[in-house]
Amino acid sequence: VILKISETRRLLRKHDSTIIPQLPLMTDPQRNAAMLMLQFVFLAAAETRPKIAALISCRMIDMTMGYGASPVSSVGFAGFGYVISIAGQNAEEAFSYGKVALGFSKRFGGDAWICRVTAAVFGCINIWSIPLRDCLEPLKCAYRIGLGSGDFQIAVLNASIYLWNSFGSIPITETYNYMQSLVDHEKSLAPLKSLFQLCKYFLGHSIEKPKNIHKFIKDGSGLEEVPIEEYDL
């Protein structure tokens, strides 16, 4: 995995990141179909098999650079930026890949694709380069866009990351009120129950102190923790 990530980074350093979103279109229908499939596998692997997710993002970038741009290219670059920026590593480089992902999203349909990369770009990449508060509104916007387009999985992902990132960066009352507005999706946001309990405790709405907060944070993140050395390049 480390060798493949290094190879992909060397490949991308040979190109101007501002030009990459303007690559010629991928015209082969079979390759376009393969990119779509890789996207869905990546989203599942990111939660359970991060090493596989890293390899999938590399493969999507290889196909983009070799055969042309597709709407899914945005997911590949956003995913790769997330992989190399774990724990704040390579923040500047990852930030550039996040901009590439947004560039592809704007080229291929705007909001519909932007909401699919917002969780990675504004929830995991840009937080190391710009103020955290500036990353919150895009996540809220992506949640609303996802609901409007019927992309419920992506909507909930953006809402979840917004809530965890907002905790400690905006008044706790805002986080609590926003969580209350999501009651219609209570089952899908079940992993955030611990954060809701924590907010209630700090606001004095509950006298029950949450137990094992470290476990709460890990369970609520939705992402498997990866040792830093796995991607220390």
Side-chain angles (χ1 to χ4, degrees), residues 48-85:
T48 58
R49 295 291 185 271
K51 292 181 181 179
I52 294 177
L55 292 175
I56 292 172
S57 68
C58 290
R59 180 55 181 158
M60 287 192 280
I61 288 176
D62 285 344
M63 293 181 67
T64 297
M65 302 306 293
Y67 303 108
S70 85
V72 188
S73 298
S74 59
V75 178
F77 277 87
F80 188 70
Y82 159 69
V83 166
I84 68 167
S85 65

Side-chain angles (χ1 to χ4, degrees), residues 149-168:
S149 64
D151 200 341
F152 191 70
Q153 178 187 8
I154 295 299
V156 169
L157 176 61
N158 280 285
S160 300
I161 294 179
Y162 167 83
L163 288 168
W164 281 107
N165 286 358
S166 69
F167 189 66

Side-chain angles (χ1 to χ4, degrees), residues 140 143 159-160 162-164 166-167 170 172-186 189-200 203:
K140 287 179 69 174
Y143 164 72
S160 300
Y162 167 83
L163 288 168
W164 281 107
S166 69
F167 189 66
I170 62 175
I172 193 172
T173 51
E174 291 186 32
T175 301
Y176 180 74
N177 291 337
Y178 187 66
M179 292 191 76
Q180 287 190 308
S181 72
L182 303 176
V183 291
D184 290 341
H185 309 133
E186 182 177 354
L189 293 169
L192 295 171
K193 181 180 179 181
S194 54
L195 178 58
F196 192 56
Q197 292 173 338
L198 191 64
C199 289
K200 290 173 67 177
L203 289 170

